[in-house]
Each structure stands twice: as structure tokens, then as C-alpha cells.
Amino acid sequence: MSRRNVAVLGATGSVGEATLAVARNHPDRLRVSVLAAQGTRPARLAELAREFRPDRVVVESDDTAAALRSELPNGTRLTCGGQALLNGVGTGDIDLVVTAIVGAAGLQPAAAALEAGADLALANKEAMVAAGPVLRRLAAASGASILPIDSEHAAIHQALRAGRPREVRRLVLTASGGPFLERDPATLEAATPAEATAHPTWDMGAKISVDSATLTNKGLELIEASYLFDVDGSRIDILIHPQSLVHSIVEFRCGNGVAQISANDMRYPIQYALSYPERWARPADERSVDLSDLLLQTSKLEFRRVDPALFPAPSLARDALARGGGAPAVMNAANEIAVDAFLGGRTPFTAIVPVVADVLERHARQSNGGEPQSITEALAWDSWGRHQARELLAASGG
Ligand code: NAD
Ligand code: MG
């Protein structure tokens, strides 16, 4: 059996570590060739490099590179900077790139991987939101595949195998509802970053945890699903499902729906993407229980609609997707800036979504409706959205 050469971007993060756990369980099938990270946790990155002995480690800046150099094993090259990352994934000898970087910073590496013909296992939904149609065109041109890691999209990808694209009636994306689902809305103004990142069912990085608390994550996922599966936003529903066991559903035109169920453990969707079209043995540890036991432990599965008055972000995303013309890229960019301001203590939790809404309103007056035709054009809207959000935050003292 031949091993696939894998690059893991965002190796020290939550999805990166879960990806490496999958690689650790399947050394006969996966060879970790590149490890990339920002470099804020050099000791952990060095440890991973000594374990996996990749050809290359890529970090963002010279400073972190200096801290790492003497810690890497023989045979591992160290490079740094954005161009080094693009070179690292675009060499042609990488078979599969796992993008687990946070934010639109992952867009150019994703494009470089697809251009070089490497399959993309995509956790970095912000790249898809900012330039989904462009990424799909790059994949089609080189013959590469885009395989979703986001659990809802991995669920839909699996369910779609039960029918043909033209037989799909609707998609149902499930959402945990995040940490503030039951909280008195009057107290949200005072919500702290620690509260907003304490997710009830998933253990994730800070940015996506805040996105789950505002339900912006589900809005971004709606756009991601529309671009990935070529299904109009008007045919995608969102249901709150606090147990996070039914990861999403495809309803076919005959009225039969196919749902995907698994433990809320990112190793399952990651391994699905890395093994597709095969299915490999699940992890053998105490967290892996039989499905019937999992359902018995949970006993009841609940579903309800999102209250748009409390959580307006999914509707904003639906409108941005329908309007197009760079609106999804702008929405994502404004959200990144607003979430960063919240995490840095510069703006309250309740300001995040209104800032995004205001930037989208400015965009509606500005855009001529033309879709970004290239990564460069998508990045131009991304910069514009960031600038507008910073301006609004500065005006309100954030
Ligand atoms: P995280 O904050 O835990 O990790 C982010 C990783 O990316 C770190 O290794 C960091 O060093 C690296 N990174 C950040 N900026 C970088 C840059 N400019 N260049 C190189 N590396 C950079 O984040 P996470 O929770 O693992 O999320 C990663 C992505 O996966 C996000 O897009 C998120 O929306 C998506 N996602 C995460 C989960 C989850 O369970 N955590 C689930 C679905 C989707
Ligand atoms: Mg998800």
C-alpha cells in the first residue's frame, strides 16, 4: 500500500492536533511531509516535528524560526513566511493538504495546494467563504478534490453518497447553539471571552468558539455548504440540535432523508476526509464507543429553529450569499476583526454581529454585484471588509 504525503497547516491547533492523531493511528497510509503553524507554540511544534520527522516545518516569522532551529530533527528543513508556506504546499510531491489555519489567512495556501493538484482536506471554512467559487474552479482545472472536514459538511458529503446531485431537495445543517443558547440575552453585553469560548459540546480554537456563540459559525457554514455542494442557500435549513450527534441531513426529492451520526469528536470527520473514498478503522481508545451506547448515553435528540431576533448572524450570511458580489468575503473579514477585538477585550460580545451587519450594509451600497473572479479579487474584498470593521470599531472606542 502506498502512503500519501500530507501537509498539515495549522498543525498545533485544535484541528491540526486531531489530524495528527489520525496520522498517528494510520502510519501505514499517511506520511506527514509538512508541518506548518504560526509558531506561537514552538515547543509543541518541535515535539511534533521530532515525532513525525517531516521534510519541512514552516512558521510565520523569523523570530519563531530562531527558537525552533536547534530543536528540529536531522533531515527536517525549516522555512518561514507566507511565500515559504505557498512553496511548501505547491511542490507537487504533496498528495493531500489539510488546511486547519484560522481565517482568510488560509486562502492563498488553499489555492496554491489546489493549483499544484493536491487534494484539499478543508477545515478552514473562512477560505471557502471568501472565495469558494474560485477554489472550486482551481480544483476542477487541476483535477484535485476538496474534501470537507467541518463536521456538518463531512456529514453532508457522506449523506450525498446515497443519491445523485439532481435528486437533492434540501440540506439541513445542524448547530449545537453554542454556550449562550439558554442564557438571558440581557446579560450578554457582559459576556467574557472565557464564557464565550466555553463551548458545550466541542473543544475548539478561540475564534471558532466565539463564532459558535454568535451563531456566525453556522452562517459561515451555510455559505460553505452552498459553495461546496452547489446547492442554493434558499435550499439549506439550519436546525439547533444541542446534543451535536446528528451532524447534518440530506433530504432527497423522494422525501427520504439521510442523516449522519457519530460522536462529537473531530477525528471522525478528519479521518473521513483523509481516507475518502475508503473507510479506515476508527481510533481504538476509551473515547470511541459503539454508536448504540452513544445514543443510549444521550437518550434524547432535540431539534429547534434558530430565533433570528436573538441570533441574526445566520440570516446575515444567507443574505450575503444571495447578494454575492464579494459579500461573503466581506462578512467573513468583518467578523474576524470584530471577534479579534472582542477576544482582546476591546469591544463587548454584543457588538460583534452589529459590526458585521453594518459593514455588510456599507458593502451593499458599494458593490456592483460582480463575483470575485480570482483569489486576488476576493482578497481585495477581504481587505476592504477588515478596513471598514476597524473604522466602525474605532468610532465606537473599540
Ligand atoms: P486553532 O486556533 O486551535 O488553531 C489554529 C492553527 O493555525 C494554529 O496551529 C496556528 O498556529 C495556525 N495558524 C494561524 N494563523 C496562521 C498563519 N497565518 N499561518 C500559518 N499557521 C497559522 O483553530 P482551530 O479551532 O483548529 O480551527 C482551525 C480552522 O478549522 C478554522 O477555520 C475553524 O473554523 C475550522 N474548524 C475547526 C473545528 C474545531 O473543532 N476546532 C471544527 C470545524 C472547523
Ligand atoms: Mg462545523
mmCIF file of all heavy atoms in Angstrom, residues 110-148:
data_model
loop_
_atom_site.group_PDB
_atom_site.id
_atom_site.type_symbol
_atom_site.label_atom_id
_atom_site.label_comp_id
_atom_site.label_asym_id
_atom_site.label_seq_id
_atom_site.Cartn_x
_atom_site.Cartn_y
_atom_site.Cartn_z
ATOM 1 N N ALA A 110 -4.518 27.448 0.414
ATOM 2 C CA ALA A 110 -5.501 26.502 -0.143
ATOM 3 C C ALA A 110 -5.463 26.558 -1.668
ATOM 4 O O ALA A 110 -5.465 25.528 -2.343
ATOM 5 C CB ALA A 110 -6.903 26.834 0.369
ATOM 6 N N ALA A 111 -5.393 27.783 -2.205
ATOM 7 C CA ALA A 111 -5.353 27.942 -3.662
ATOM 8 C C ALA A 111 -4.071 27.334 -4.226
ATOM 9 O O ALA A 111 -4.097 26.640 -5.258
ATOM 10 C CB ALA A 111 -5.457 29.425 -4.019
ATOM 11 N N ALA A 112 -2.939 27.555 -3.553
ATOM 12 C CA ALA A 112 -1.651 27.022 -4.039
ATOM 13 C C ALA A 112 -1.685 25.497 -4.062
ATOM 14 O O ALA A 112 -1.182 24.862 -4.997
ATOM 15 C CB ALA A 112 -0.507 27.520 -3.152
ATOM 16 N N ALA A 113 -2.307 24.909 -3.036
ATOM 17 C CA ALA A 113 -2.383 23.446 -2.977
ATOM 18 C C ALA A 113 -3.194 22.917 -4.152
ATOM 19 O O ALA A 113 -2.775 21.985 -4.848
ATOM 20 C CB ALA A 113 -3.020 23.015 -1.655
ATOM 21 N N LEU A 114 -4.350 23.532 -4.401
ATOM 22 C CA LEU A 114 -5.208 23.054 -5.494
ATOM 23 C C LEU A 114 -4.538 23.252 -6.848
ATOM 24 O O LEU A 114 -4.626 22.389 -7.727
ATOM 25 C CB LEU A 114 -6.558 23.786 -5.456
ATOM 26 C CG LEU A 114 -7.456 23.436 -4.265
ATOM 27 C CD1 LEU A 114 -8.677 24.353 -4.242
ATOM 28 C CD2 LEU A 114 -7.903 21.977 -4.320
ATOM 29 N N GLU A 115 -3.860 24.397 -7.008
ATOM 30 C CA GLU A 115 -3.176 24.648 -8.285
ATOM 31 C C GLU A 115 -2.121 23.588 -8.559
ATOM 32 O O GLU A 115 -1.905 23.201 -9.705
ATOM 33 C CB GLU A 115 -2.529 26.045 -8.275
ATOM 34 C CG GLU A 115 -3.516 27.119 -8.687
ATOM 35 C CD GLU A 115 -2.976 28.534 -8.498
ATOM 36 O OE1 GLU A 115 -2.006 28.721 -7.730
ATOM 37 O OE2 GLU A 115 -3.545 29.439 -9.127
ATOM 38 N N ALA A 116 -1.472 23.122 -7.467
ATOM 39 C CA ALA A 116 -0.427 22.106 -7.638
ATOM 40 C C ALA A 116 -1.023 20.710 -7.776
ATOM 41 O O ALA A 116 -0.297 19.727 -7.884
ATOM 42 C CB ALA A 116 0.545 22.159 -6.453
ATOM 43 N N GLY A 117 -2.367 20.622 -7.723
ATOM 44 C CA GLY A 117 -3.007 19.323 -7.922
ATOM 45 C C GLY A 117 -3.151 18.484 -6.669
ATOM 46 O O GLY A 117 -3.528 17.312 -6.739
ATOM 47 N N ALA A 118 -2.844 19.085 -5.493
ATOM 48 C CA ALA A 118 -3.002 18.329 -4.239
ATOM 49 C C ALA A 118 -4.470 18.384 -3.813
ATOM 50 O O ALA A 118 -5.128 19.421 -3.967
ATOM 51 C CB ALA A 118 -2.129 18.932 -3.144
ATOM 52 N N ASP A 119 -4.977 17.276 -3.278
ATOM 53 C CA ASP A 119 -6.332 17.303 -2.718
ATOM 54 C C ASP A 119 -6.313 18.170 -1.467
ATOM 55 O O ASP A 119 -5.288 18.272 -0.769
ATOM 56 C CB ASP A 119 -6.786 15.881 -2.352
ATOM 57 C CG ASP A 119 -7.029 15.039 -3.600
ATOM 58 O OD1 ASP A 119 -7.299 15.626 -4.663
ATOM 59 O OD2 ASP A 119 -6.928 13.800 -3.500
ATOM 60 N N LEU A 120 -7.465 18.778 -1.195
ATOM 61 C CA LEU A 120 -7.550 19.685 -0.050
ATOM 62 C C LEU A 120 -8.531 19.108 0.957
ATOM 63 O O LEU A 120 -9.691 18.866 0.620
ATOM 64 C CB LEU A 120 -8.066 21.032 -0.566
ATOM 65 C CG LEU A 120 -7.873 22.244 0.316
ATOM 66 C CD1 LEU A 120 -6.390 22.554 0.455
ATOM 67 C CD2 LEU A 120 -8.595 23.441 -0.296
ATOM 68 N N ALA A 121 -8.067 18.848 2.176
ATOM 69 C CA ALA A 121 -8.978 18.484 3.262
ATOM 70 C C ALA A 121 -9.203 19.778 4.038
ATOM 71 O O ALA A 121 -8.299 20.300 4.685
ATOM 72 C CB ALA A 121 -8.361 17.397 4.132
ATOM 73 N N LEU A 122 -10.409 20.308 3.926
ATOM 74 C CA LEU A 122 -10.661 21.691 4.319
ATOM 75 C C LEU A 122 -11.375 21.813 5.661
ATOM 76 O O LEU A 122 -12.546 21.470 5.776
ATOM 77 C CB LEU A 122 -11.513 22.348 3.225
ATOM 78 C CG LEU A 122 -11.884 23.801 3.460
ATOM 79 C CD1 LEU A 122 -10.869 24.715 2.794
ATOM 80 C CD2 LEU A 122 -13.268 24.113 2.936
ATOM 81 N N ALA A 123 -10.644 22.302 6.656
ATOM 82 C CA ALA A 123 -11.295 22.706 7.913
ATOM 83 C C ALA A 123 -11.518 24.218 7.875
ATOM 84 O O ALA A 123 -12.498 24.735 8.394
ATOM 85 C CB ALA A 123 -10.416 22.343 9.106
ATOM 86 N N ASN A 124 -10.594 24.901 7.222
ATOM 87 C CA ASN A 124 -10.546 26.364 7.178
ATOM 88 C C ASN A 124 -11.704 26.929 6.331
ATOM 89 O O ASN A 124 -11.542 27.342 5.201
ATOM 90 C CB ASN A 124 -9.173 26.753 6.593
ATOM 91 C CG ASN A 124 -8.994 28.231 6.371
ATOM 92 O OD1 ASN A 124 -8.531 28.649 5.320
ATOM 93 N ND2 ASN A 124 -9.363 29.046 7.342
ATOM 94 N N LYS A 125 -12.892 26.963 6.960
ATOM 95 C CA LYS A 125 -14.098 27.351 6.216
ATOM 96 C C LYS A 125 -14.020 28.775 5.711
ATOM 97 O O LYS A 125 -14.639 29.131 4.704
ATOM 98 C CB LYS A 125 -15.335 27.166 7.096
ATOM 99 C CG LYS A 125 -15.435 28.086 8.279
ATOM 100 C CD LYS A 125 -16.497 27.626 9.265
ATOM 101 C CE LYS A 125 -15.962 26.545 10.163
ATOM 102 N NZ LYS A 125 -16.923 25.930 11.044
ATOM 103 N N GLU A 126 -13.247 29.647 6.414
ATOM 104 C CA GLU A 126 -13.187 31.055 6.020
ATOM 105 C C GLU A 126 -12.648 31.204 4.593
ATOM 106 O O GLU A 126 -13.068 32.104 3.861
ATOM 107 C CB GLU A 126 -12.316 31.855 6.993
ATOM 108 C CG GLU A 126 -12.866 31.913 8.431
ATOM 109 C CD GLU A 126 -12.315 30.826 9.337
ATOM 110 O OE1 GLU A 126 -11.814 29.795 8.818
ATOM 111 O OE2 GLU A 126 -12.370 30.997 10.572
ATOM 112 N N ALA A 127 -11.739 30.298 4.182
ATOM 113 C CA ALA A 127 -11.204 30.346 2.809
ATOM 114 C C ALA A 127 -12.321 30.064 1.812
ATOM 115 O O ALA A 127 -12.432 30.735 0.783
ATOM 116 C CB ALA A 127 -10.077 29.331 2.646
ATOM 117 N N MET A 128 -13.136 29.088 2.135
ATOM 118 C CA MET A 128 -14.251 28.710 1.239
ATOM 119 C C MET A 128 -15.264 29.848 1.170
ATOM 120 O O MET A 128 -15.799 30.144 0.100
ATOM 121 C CB MET A 128 -14.897 27.440 1.793
ATOM 122 C CG MET A 128 -15.642 26.649 0.786
ATOM 123 S SD MET A 128 -14.500 26.023 -0.474
ATOM 124 C CE MET A 128 -15.603 25.527 -1.713
ATOM 125 N N VAL A 129 -15.529 30.483 2.308
ATOM 126 C CA VAL A 129 -16.497 31.582 2.332
ATOM 127 C C VAL A 129 -15.972 32.751 1.493
ATOM 128 O O VAL A 129 -16.706 33.356 0.711
ATOM 129 C CB VAL A 129 -16.765 32.025 3.794
ATOM 130 C CG1 VAL A 129 -17.550 33.325 3.842
ATOM 131 C CG2 VAL A 129 -17.501 30.926 4.547
ATOM 132 N N ALA A 130 -14.690 33.048 1.633
ATOM 133 C CA ALA A 130 -14.122 34.207 0.941
ATOM 134 C C ALA A 130 -14.042 33.989 -0.573
ATOM 135 O O ALA A 130 -14.191 34.941 -1.336
ATOM 136 C CB ALA A 130 -12.732 34.527 1.501
ATOM 137 N N ALA A 131 -13.824 32.751 -1.002
ATOM 138 C CA ALA A 131 -13.582 32.539 -2.444
ATOM 139 C C ALA A 131 -13.962 31.132 -2.903
ATOM 140 O O ALA A 131 -13.265 30.536 -3.712
ATOM 141 C CB ALA A 131 -12.116 32.811 -2.760
ATOM 142 N N GLY A 132 -15.083 30.620 -2.410
ATOM 143 C CA GLY A 132 -15.486 29.252 -2.748
ATOM 144 C C GLY A 132 -15.527 28.963 -4.239
ATOM 145 O O GLY A 132 -14.923 27.985 -4.702
ATOM 146 N N PRO A 133 -16.217 29.815 -5.036
ATOM 147 C CA PRO A 133 -16.303 29.508 -6.467
ATOM 148 C C PRO A 133 -14.930 29.485 -7.148
ATOM 149 O O PRO A 133 -14.688 28.665 -8.032
ATOM 150 C CB PRO A 133 -17.182 30.644 -7.016
ATOM 151 C CG PRO A 133 -18.021 31.069 -5.835
ATOM 152 C CD PRO A 133 -17.109 30.924 -4.650
ATOM 153 N N VAL A 134 -14.022 30.368 -6.701
ATOM 154 C CA VAL A 134 -12.676 30.382 -7.306
ATOM 155 C C VAL A 134 -11.937 29.093 -6.931
ATOM 156 O O VAL A 134 -11.309 28.443 -7.782
ATOM 157 C CB VAL A 134 -11.860 31.622 -6.853
ATOM 158 C CG1 VAL A 134 -10.500 31.641 -7.519
ATOM 159 C CG2 VAL A 134 -12.613 32.916 -7.134
ATOM 160 N N LEU A 135 -12.027 28.692 -5.666
ATOM 161 C CA LEU A 135 -11.335 27.465 -5.233
ATOM 162 C C LEU A 135 -11.878 26.250 -5.999
ATOM 163 O O LEU A 135 -11.119 25.370 -6.405
ATOM 164 C CB LEU A 135 -11.488 27.252 -3.719
ATOM 165 C CG LEU A 135 -10.739 28.256 -2.835
ATOM 166 C CD1 LEU A 135 -11.028 27.980 -1.353
ATOM 167 C CD2 LEU A 135 -9.223 28.185 -3.069
ATOM 168 N N ARG A 136 -13.177 26.226 -6.204
ATOM 169 C CA ARG A 136 -13.743 25.081 -6.947
ATOM 170 C C ARG A 136 -13.242 25.061 -8.392
ATOM 171 O O ARG A 136 -12.974 23.995 -8.947
ATOM 172 C CB ARG A 136 -15.264 25.118 -6.893
ATOM 173 C CG ARG A 136 -15.773 24.654 -5.520
ATOM 174 C CD ARG A 136 -17.212 24.218 -5.551
ATOM 175 N NE ARG A 136 -17.497 23.270 -6.618
ATOM 176 C CZ ARG A 136 -18.734 22.938 -6.996
ATOM 177 N NH1 ARG A 136 -19.768 23.484 -6.405
ATOM 178 N NH2 ARG A 136 -18.928 22.079 -7.955
ATOM 179 N N ARG A 137 -13.113 26.237 -8.985
ATOM 180 C CA ARG A 137 -12.593 26.269 -10.361
ATOM 181 C C ARG A 137 -11.152 25.782 -10.404
ATOM 182 O O ARG A 137 -10.751 25.051 -11.310
ATOM 183 C CB ARG A 137 -12.671 27.697 -10.930
ATOM 184 C CG ARG A 137 -14.043 28.036 -11.512
ATOM 185 C CD ARG A 137 -13.945 29.172 -12.524
ATOM 186 N NE ARG A 137 -13.526 30.430 -11.944
ATOM 187 C CZ ARG A 137 -14.339 31.258 -11.269
ATOM 188 N NH1 ARG A 137 -15.608 30.948 -11.079
ATOM 189 N NH2 ARG A 137 -13.883 32.391 -10.772
ATOM 190 N N LEU A 138 -10.335 26.196 -9.406
ATOM 191 C CA LEU A 138 -8.935 25.746 -9.374
ATOM 192 C C LEU A 138 -8.872 24.230 -9.230
ATOM 193 O O LEU A 138 -8.047 23.564 -9.865
ATOM 194 C CB LEU A 138 -8.182 26.413 -8.209
ATOM 195 C CG LEU A 138 -7.961 27.929 -8.316
ATOM 196 C CD1 LEU A 138 -7.286 28.455 -7.051
ATOM 197 C CD2 LEU A 138 -7.114 28.264 -9.545
ATOM 198 N N ALA A 139 -9.767 23.680 -8.403
ATOM 199 C CA ALA A 139 -9.781 22.224 -8.201
ATOM 200 C C ALA A 139 -10.157 21.518 -9.504
ATOM 201 O O ALA A 139 -9.514 20.542 -9.904
ATOM 202 C CB ALA A 139 -10.758 21.851 -7.087
ATOM 203 N N ALA A 140 -11.177 22.049 -10.178
ATOM 204 C CA ALA A 140 -11.622 21.419 -11.422
ATOM 205 C C ALA A 140 -10.505 21.466 -12.465
ATOM 206 O O ALA A 140 -10.283 20.502 -13.201
ATOM 207 C CB ALA A 140 -12.876 22.119 -11.945
ATOM 208 N N ALA A 141 -9.756 22.588 -12.495
ATOM 209 C CA ALA A 141 -8.701 22.741 -13.504
ATOM 210 C C ALA A 141 -7.566 21.747 -13.285
ATOM 211 O O ALA A 141 -6.982 21.238 -14.242
ATOM 212 C CB ALA A 141 -8.173 24.176 -13.496
ATOM 213 N N SER A 142 -7.220 21.468 -12.028
ATOM 214 C CA SER A 142 -6.074 20.584 -11.787
ATOM 215 C C SER A 142 -6.489 19.143 -11.519
ATOM 216 O O SER A 142 -5.646 18.266 -11.397
ATOM 217 C CB SER A 142 -5.248 21.104 -10.597
ATOM 218 O OG SER A 142 -5.972 20.915 -9.396
ATOM 219 N N GLY A 143 -7.803 18.918 -11.378
ATOM 220 C CA GLY A 143 -8.270 17.555 -11.086
ATOM 221 C C GLY A 143 -8.195 17.196 -9.612
ATOM 222 O O GLY A 143 -8.353 16.033 -9.238
ATOM 223 N N ALA A 144 -7.952 18.192 -8.756
ATOM 224 C CA ALA A 144 -7.866 17.926 -7.310
ATOM 225 C C ALA A 144 -9.264 17.910 -6.696
ATOM 226 O O ALA A 144 -10.207 18.460 -7.254
ATOM 227 C CB ALA A 144 -7.023 19.013 -6.647
ATOM 228 N N SER A 145 -9.389 17.273 -5.531
ATOM 229 C CA SER A 145 -10.677 17.234 -4.819
ATOM 230 C C SER A 145 -10.633 18.126 -3.592
ATOM 231 O O SER A 145 -9.581 18.290 -2.976
ATOM 232 C CB SER A 145 -10.980 15.817 -4.319
ATOM 233 O OG SER A 145 -10.962 14.919 -5.375
ATOM 234 N N ILE A 146 -11.797 18.673 -3.252
ATOM 235 C CA ILE A 146 -11.922 19.394 -1.977
ATOM 236 C C ILE A 146 -12.797 18.527 -1.078
ATOM 237 O O ILE A 146 -13.951 18.251 -1.400
ATOM 238 C CB ILE A 146 -12.569 20.784 -2.169
ATOM 239 C CG1 ILE A 146 -11.763 21.611 -3.173
ATOM 240 C CG2 ILE A 146 -12.675 21.503 -0.821
ATOM 241 C CD1 ILE A 146 -12.355 22.987 -3.481
ATOM 242 N N LEU A 147 -12.231 18.084 0.043
ATOM 243 C CA LEU A 147 -12.959 17.218 0.964
ATOM 244 C C LEU A 147 -13.179 17.954 2.276
ATOM 245 O O LEU A 147 -12.219 18.386 2.910
ATOM 246 C CB LEU A 147 -12.147 15.940 1.204
ATOM 247 C CG LEU A 147 -12.022 15.101 -0.065
ATOM 248 C CD1 LEU A 147 -10.780 14.239 -0.032
ATOM 249 C CD2 LEU A 147 -13.286 14.267 -0.262
ATOM 250 N N PRO A 148 -14.433 18.150 2.667
ATOM 251 C CA PRO A 148 -14.681 18.930 3.878
ATOM 252 C C PRO A 148 -14.333 18.177 5.158
ATOM 253 O O PRO A 148 -14.574 16.970 5.261
ATOM 254 C CB PRO A 148 -16.181 19.204 3.816
ATOM 255 C CG PRO A 148 -16.747 18.112 2.973
ATOM 256 C CD PRO A 148 -15.679 17.725 2.003
#
